[in-house]
Amino acid sequence: MFPYNAHNRQLLETALGNEPADLVIRDGILMDVYTGRVVPHRSVAVAGRWIAYVGPDAVYAIGERTRVIEADGRVIAPGFIDPHTHIANFWNISDFLQYAIPGGTTTYITEVEGFCFASGAEGFRAFLDQVRDRPVKIYCLIPPMVSTSPAAAARFITAEETRGLLRDEQVIGLGESYWQSAILTPDDRIIHLIQETVKAGKTVEGHAAGAVDRRLAAYAAAGATSCHEAVSSEDVLSRLEMGYCVMLREGHVRKDLESIRPLIGKIDLSRCTLATDGADPEFLLSEGYFTDVIQKAVEMGLEPIEAIRMATLNPAAHFGLDHLIGGIAPGRFADILILPAPETMSPDLVISEGRVIAEGGTTLIPLPRVPHPDQILKTVHIPLIAPEKLAVPLSACSKPGGVRTMDIQENGLVAREGFAEVSSEKETVSPDPGSDLLKIVFIERVSGRGERFVGFVRGWGQKRGAVASSLVWDASGIVAIGADDLDLAGAINRVIELQGGTVLALGGEIAREIPFPIGGYSSERRIEELTAEASALQKAVRDLGSNLPSPRLTLETLASAAIPFIRITEKGYFRFRENDYVGV
Amino acid sequence: MFPYNAHNRQLLETALGNEPADLVIRDGILMDVYTGRVVPHRSVAVAGRWIAYVGPDAVYAIGERTRVIEADGRVIAPGFIDPHTHIANFWNISDFLQYAIPGGTTTYITEVEGFCFASGAEGFRAFLDQVRDRPVKIYCLIPPMVSTSPAAAARFITAEETRGLLRDEQVIGLGESYWQSAILTPDDRIIHLIQETVKAGKTVEGHAAGAVDRRLAAYAAAGATSCHEAVSSEDVLSRLEMGYCVMLREGHVRKDLESIRPLIGKIDLSRCTLATDGADPEFLLSEGYFTDVIQKAVEMGLEPIEAIRMATLNPAAHFGLDHLIGGIAPGRFADILILPAPETMSPDLVISEGRVIAEGGTTLIPLPRVPHPDQILKTVHIPLIAPEKLAVPLSACSKPGGVRTMDIQENGLVAREGFAEVSSEKETVSPDPGSDLLKIVFIERVSGRGERFVGFVRGWGQKRGAVASSLVWDASGIVAIGADDLDLAGAINRVIELQGGTVLALGGEIAREIPFPIGGYSSERRIEELTAEASALQKAVRDLGSNLPSPRLTLETLASAAIPFIRITEKGYFRFRENDYVGV
C-alpha cells in the first residue's frame, strides 16, 4: 500500500471555507517548487495533518481555535526530504530526531541494512516499528543485502518476503544494490527483488560508484533508477542521460556536491537531488542534519528555489510521493518551514504534519522511545573464542616468506591487496606492530559456529591492543584488528558477551566499550553519551598509533561490498576485480 | 500491479556486450529529455522490447542478426505520450491506431467512460481486453462517472470494483472527475474512489474547468493531481502553484495551448504536458494524431527539446511511469522516434517496443481486431416508444404561457436556461421549428423502463425531422432532438433496434443511420466509412437548418456533467448553479 490521505473530506471543507483551519500561516514568501517561482504574499491553511489551501489569503479559514502564524514576509518552504540516508544504526532513533528535526528535514528515506544483516526480514520489521507514527516521516528501503560474506545469505530477505514488506506504506522501495555485485554476477537474486519492487509500483535505488558507459547502462537496464555516487560533472551528466535520478551526496563519508557546480544554469536539474548518505554523530550534535548541504548548494551559486527543489520536490517526485510531500499545496502533508530569508536554510519554525515541532533550533516535542522486541536483542551467535584459535600457521601462506595483506589507504576506506614479508622462523605468523602489520579477523555471527578468517592488515597503525566491532557494513559478523591474539580474543569475546558493540582491549583488559545490543548495530544509551564514548574510543585508538581520519568508520567498512579493492570475509579476503576469495 | 520489465537479465547482458542487440540505432542527435540537452553522436541498443544502452556508440552490440538503423545525424526522440485522451468511443481501436501511429504517439492514456456508462465495470474490462498486447501502449483510467443523470448510478464502478481493477497493470489511475460534482456535493463516493487509487499508488486525474482559489484548492485537497482545463496563463500558474500537473489541451473540442505562451522562458515547465483530450475522426484521417500539437508548441517558441519533454518525460513522470517510458534510457521500453530534424515532429520512423511500426507516415504492421464479448453488444434496455408518449401537456409548464428551454450557445457546447412563450390554445406544447423551438428528449437505458424527460431546446436549428443518439457523454441514455414527435420516436426506436447508434429520421423514414452496437458507443465499421457516414449525417442536419459548428459533438454533450449551465436528464433539466432538477 502507498501512504494516502484519509481526510480529504475535512480538507476540502476547510479549503472551501466551510470548516475552520487548525493552522493558518499568513503573508509569507512562497517557495513555489512547482514552477520555480518565489511568490510574495502567500498564505497557507492547514487542517489536521494536511494542507488545505495555498493562495493570496487564508484569512477566511481562521476560526476561534485556529492557530495563526504571521510569516511577516519570511519564507514559506516545504519541509526538506533527504532521499538517501542511513539512520538505523548507532543511536536510538528518538535521540537522532531530537537533533535532526530543528534543521527542517521532515522526511527521511533510509536504508535499513544493519538490522537485516542481524535478523533478516524480522530485523526490518523491528526497525519499521521504530519509525511508525513519528512526528516526521521516515520511509524505509528494503536492503538487497549485497555482501561479500557468504554467511550473510542466511539473512537475505527473499523475493516473497520483499513482496510482503512492500505492502507496508512505510516501505517505499528497494535500497541501494552495489552495481558490481548486482550486475556482474550471473545470480538473478537481486533482479528478482527489483522486479517485485517495480511490480509494486515502488522505486529501486542504485549505487553506481565508478560505473561508466556500458556498465552504467547495464545497471540501469537491471532496474536501478538512482545513483548517489556521481563524483564529477561527467558522472552527473552520464547518469542523468541514462535516466538515473542523481542524488548529490554531501555527507561525512564523502562530499560530492561540487560536481554539480559546472552544470549550474546549463542543464535542467529536476532529476537531481541533494542527499547526506548518512550522518556522523558528532556532526549531528554540533551542526544538525542536512540543512548545511542545502545551504552549501546556495553558496555554490544555485538559486535558493533550485536548491530547495533539490531537497523537496525532486526527491518526492523520484519516489512517486509528490502528491503527498515536497511542496506547499493542498492535499499534501503540512510539512512546512518558515525560513528567515530566501537564502537562509536554517528554519525559524519547523512544522510537520500540521504541528510546530521545532523553533529556533530547538525541538519542541517529546520523542518517546519505542521498545525493541526481544528477538533483536540476541543476534550475535558466536561461541567465545580462545586466543590460540586466532593463530595463522606459516603453512597457510600462499607464497613463501610472506602473507597477503589488506592495505588500508590514506582515506581509511579503500584497501588494496598487499604482500608483507614475515619471519619463517616460527610455525605461526605473528602481527608486527612495529612495521604496522596487524591481524584482522572476520567472524560470521549467523551459523552459530563462528566461521572465521584471520588475515593481515596494514595502514591501521595501532601499536598495541585490539579493537572489535559488530557494527560492520554489509555483513553479519564481527571485524577485529589487533596487535596480539590475547587482546583480539578479548575484544571479540566482549562483543559477543555484550551481544553487539565496539570494544577496545588492551593488555588483557577491556579498555573501552560501547554496547550495541540492538541487533549488534545500535544502542539505547543517550546519544550524547554514546557519541562521547565513540569519540573516546576513537581517540584511544589514535593514541595507540593509528593515523586514520576515522578509525571507527574504517572498521565499519572493512567487510563492505561497497568499497574497493579487497575486503575481509569469513571465507578469506574477497577481491573485487578477480571476484574471488583468497587466503593469506 | 504496475507494468514491469521481466527481461532485465537479457537487457543487462546486451548492455555489457555479452549478447547481441536486436536493434542498434547509430549516430543520431539525442533528445536528452532528462537534462534538456540535445546531444549529438548518440547511439542506442535495443534488446527485445527494451532499451539496453544509450551512449557514444553501440557498435559493440551489433551481432549477425542485429538490425542497424543509421540515423545519420537525424534526431532520436522518445515516443510521444498523450496523457489525456478519449479513444474508446466511435471507432474500432485497431482502425484508430492505424491512423494515429505514424505520428509517433506510442503511449495513449485514455478515459474509458462510454463503455462504463453502458455496462459498468464489465464494460471497462471489455475495453481493457481491446487494448492489451497492442503494438503501442494504451493505459486506461477508471472513470469516476460523474453524471447529472440519476439512472447512471446503476452503472457506477464501486470502490471495491475499483480496488480490483487497479490491480491490472493496464490501469494506471482514476479518470477525470468534474470538480463541481466531486467537491460541491456532500457525497463521498468519489473521495472513496480517490483514496483507493492513491492507496494503490496510482494517479487521480482532474478536470477543474473554471475553478479558482478556494475551489481550486478544495479540488486538489480532495485528491486531484492534474488539470487539462487551464485556458489562460493565470489558470496555468494557479494550477501549478497548487500542485496540479497542467495538461495543455489542444484538440478538436478546445484549443488552449496559447495559454502557455506568456510563460515560456519564465517558469519551469516540468509539470506541464501537452494533451489532445480526444480526437476528431475527420482530423485523425487527414492530419493524424497529436503530432500537430507538439509541432504547434515548437512554432509558438518552445525549444524543441522542451516541447518534446512535455509530450514524453513530463507525462511519464506524472503517472509514475518514467522508469518505463518517456525517455531514451536503459530499462525503458524501446519507444523511439527518428525525426528528420530537431524542429520537425513528424517522424521518419516510429519504433515501439523495439519494432519499427511506421515509416514515412505509413503504419507497417497489421492491427487485427479483437472481438467484443456478447454482453457489450446488448446494452440499450429501453422498450420501443410510441410518438404520443412524447407529448408535453400544457399543464406541465412551470410558468403560464411558456416553457423552460435549453438554449444552446453559438459554440454548440454551453447551454443556458431560457424561456419560450408557447401557444396555450392546445392541451400539449408542440415544437415550433419556425422559431427554432425543438423538443429534446433524454431516455435512460439502464432500468429497462426507459425513464425519460421531454423538454425544449433552442439553438439547434433543424427545421424538420429528428436525430437521436446513444453516443452521449457522461450518461447512460439516448438524447434526441426533433421538430415532430413522429420522427423523434422513429429516430429513438431505430437507435433501440440497432442497440446503439446515431440516427436521423425525416418524414417518418430513417434518413441516415450510424450503428454503434458496441455498448452503444462504438462501431465495427471501417473508420473511413464511419467517418464518411458521420460527416454525411452532420451535413444532413445542417442542410435541415442547423448552423452549429458540429451538431454531432453538440448532441453528444447535451447530457454531460462537464459543461455548463443546463443539461438534460431523465429527471428533467439539471441546473449546475442551482444544483437542481427542473421540468419544462
Side-chain angles (χ1 to χ4, degrees), chain B residues 450-461:
Chain B
E451 311 277 352
R452 66 182 176 273
F453 168 71
V454 184
F456 290 87
V457 65
R458 295 190 294 197
W460 179 263

Side-chain angles (χ1 to χ4, degrees), chain A residues 2 4-5 8-9 35 42 53 60 187-188 195 199 213-214 221-222 241 243 268 271 309 322 332, chain B residues 2 5 8-9 35 42 53 60 187-188 195 199 213-214 221-222 241 243 268 271 309 322 332:
Chain A
F2 285 76
Y4 77 106
N5 177 350
N8 305 75
R9 165 60 58 188
T35 63
R42 277 296 184 258
Y53 170 87
Y60 74 90
D187 182 2
D188 279 347
Q195 288 169 346
K199 274 194 257 185
D213 202 48
R214 293 187 205 186
E241 183 181 325
D268 184 284
R271 294 176 67 93
R309 281 159 64 102
D322 50 320
R332 275 67 173 177
Chain B
F2 286 77
N5 177 351
N8 305 75
R9 166 60 59 188
T35 63
R42 277 296 184 259
Y53 171 87
Y60 73 90
D187 183 2
D188 279 347
Q195 289 169 344
K199 275 195 257 185
D213 201 48
R214 294 188 204 185
E241 184 182 325
D268 185 284
R271 293 176 68 94
R309 281 158 64 102
D322 50 321
R332 275 67 172 176

Side-chain angles (χ1 to χ4, degrees), chain B residues 292 346 358:
Chain B
D292 60 301
S346 287

